[in-house]
Amino acid sequence: MGESDEPLTRHTVTDLGDGSFVLVLEGELDLSTTDELQTALEVTIASVTGTLIIDIAQLRFADSSAIALWVSWSQRVPKLEIRNAPPMILRVIQAMGLTKKLNPS
Amino acid sequence: MEGEPEESQTESAPAAGDAGAKRLRFVRWSYTWVRVVVVVGVLVTAGLALISAELASSNEQHLLKLRSKEVASVFTSVLPDIETPMGSALALANITGANPAKFTQFASTYVGLPKGEFVSMSVWRIGHLDQGPVVVVGDPPELPEARGGVIPILRAAERRTGQAAPLTVRGLLDAAQRRFAYVYAGSRRGQFIVEAEETLPARYTTLPATSAYSNIDAAIYVGSHQSPSRLLLRTVAHLPLPGQHAATVISFGTDQLTVVISARQPLGGMLPEQMPWVIAVVGALLTAGAAFLTFRLIWGGSRTQELAAENRRLYSEQHEIAQSLQQALLPDELPKIEGLQLAALYDAGAPGVDVGGDWYDMIRLSPRRLLLVVGDVSGRGIRAAAAMASVRSAIQYAAQADPPEDFLPMLSGLRSLRDQGMLATVLCVIIDLQENRVQITSAGHLPPLLVHDGRCEFLEAEVGLPIGVDTESSYVSSTFAVPDGACLFGFTDGLVERHGENLDDGLERLRQAAMRASGDLEEMMSQILEQVRGPESVDDTAMTGVQWVSQTNR
């Protein structure tokens, strides 16, 4: 696994104003970073009353912990959508039978 | 596992007595080094301080010498002022035949305090010195009463007449009135000699504070010896001069003056004087600092080594605990079933200490049915292992009564999964031992691979949600027929997943490897694991294998 200077996972949150939020994830999200991301976004997830849109176009890698994290969020918000999923991640979501839960596109 | 003792463990667990002796040796060794540093520091400091003191002293000596010459030159510089009027007086005497009136008129300008520097001036006729002075102006001359008498001195002066002779000088220090006597014979031969006398200052003379010489003490002697009887003057109450001093001997007419001086404060300033002390103090501090640093470095280094050894020990301990725990969470032995070969393996992946979340299980449900389970709880570590253990035992319990499509939704209610936000993917394969059929139910798990007659295919059943998402989720089982001699491999994603690679590429790699694999079931699985798994894979892997033994072999 290549070590780089930049943090493994970067995220930005945009409040759409109608209770929906866009979360953009970049880099890599795996077991080593999911706890940190969960803590960082706790308040955001709690304030979603509409749709939580997770844009993962720039996410190079996501393991089962990442997917478990998204699934746990999907239990707490009215609706969750994964946007711009790279084929690799899309394939894992399909293989895990989570297409209906995570609504990937 | 107990058959492989850890190297670091044997190394880090020496006998207590041995460790004590080792520690004692180390303490002695470290103090020896501290001592060496202190000794070297003290020696260097002392050496530097001595050199500095020596330099300051020699520099001060040099300055004192210069100063003493300067003081001496003040005295010699007055000689021309004495010689000039005496030369004029001699010329007048020679021209006028020592006419008393004319000589007195001339000499009275220079004789008599306070206007003139002399107290007495007299003219003597060459060849008739015994008859006394021809003319005397001012006080009577004391020179004739001086030790040795006037005659030898005048005679000597007389002999020098006509030569380029200096002024004859005689210090009359033991006379009633301390005087300097000067005798001038002239550079051309004449009939007369002129003698003049000057009073001396008191022996003990203090210099005014404003004087250029106020920072020095001096003792001045007539002649080349520092003899008390020849002391001209001193600026201190008692001789010898205190402290370091320097002497200069200079010629003063036909006589000599010895000037000895010492400085009240160091001429080179206070710094060179104090430098040895500064060096000593700074050196002592540096030595103490260096000793302390040495001590810290030695002990710091030893502490680091101790910590490293401790870490190695903890790591190997933790690794062993992880191994034991993992082993405890997996089946002790597989069931033995006629007509089936069963095998399973678990690979920890990362050479770390974490317990993984992958597991497998083989449960004999009835004489006819065998339940084969492969599962994967997301994440690693104790939390994942605990969740895995609870899912595994829940399945063992629930599977006795219900088919997978019924018990799988209930598993999502397990607190160990829900509270931690964890997922588990589970593959359930129920093998019908009479009918050569398998019924597959998948909770988000990758499909098993069937190998038969040189063909490989994934048995794709409908994939339901992973466990831990939704207690309302529904699962559908699919049934597949398997031919005799076929092998079915269940596995977790650790086998096929590689960083930066699509899952399908990994699955295809597995398919190819399974086609090539040969030997018995366990050999095939080892080959597959070796070929499919990424070399740097950190994820754990569980794998099960079932082989239907051909009817002919039964």
Side-chain angles (χ1 to χ4, degrees), chain A residues 1 28 30-31 35 60-65 67-69 71-72 74-75 87-88 91-92 94-98 101, chain B residues 378-380 383 421 423 425 444-446 463-466 468-470 493 497 499-504 507 538:
Chain A
M1 244 189 266
E28 299 181 357
D30 61 17
L31 186 56
D35 277 357
R60 291 190 303 274
F61 177 77
D63 73 354
S64 59
S65 309
I67 290 166
L69 179 62
V71 169
S72 74
S74 76
Q75 321 279 64
M88 270 184 272
R91 178 69 183 87
V92 174
Q94 284 166 351
M96 290 179 77
L98 286 166
K101 268 286 166 206
Chain B
S378 61
R380 289 182 77 90
R383 282 193 313 177
L423 296 184
T425 65
H445 202 88
L446 292 171
V463 182
L465 286 173
V469 178
D470 195 349
D493 60 1
E497 255 184 9
H499 217 88
E501 186 192 72
N502 196 303
L503 182 59
D504 289 322
L507 291 173
V538 291

Side-chain angles (χ1 to χ4, degrees), chain B residues 52-53 56-57 60 244 265-266 268-278:
Chain B
S52 162
S57 162
E60 186 66 15
Q244 199 178 351
Q265 274 137 25
M270 294 307 284
L271 189 59
E273 177 93 338
Q274 290 165 351
M275 207 56 193
W277 295 107
V278 172

Side-chain angles (χ1 to χ4, degrees), chain B residues 9 50 70 96 108 119 126 129 145 148 175 198 202 213 252 279 282 293 375 384 413 417 422 473 475 551:
Chain B
Q9 239 189 340
L50 280 177
E70 215 177 290
T96 61
S108 56
V119 290
I126 291 172
L129 298 175
E145 274 78 52
E198 181 186 30
Y213 302 99
F252 188 65
I279 288 173
V282 170
L293 203 62
L417 282 178
M422 283 180 165
S473 57
Y475 297 91
Q551 295 285 354

Side-chain angles (χ1 to χ4, degrees), chain B residues 26 29-30 34 290-304:
Chain B
F26 176 74
W29 176 78
S30 66
V34 171
F292 180 67
L293 203 62
T294 307
F295 185 78
R296 281 289 299 273
L297 281 176
I298 290 172
W299 281 91
S302 112
R303 186 79 195 116
T304 309

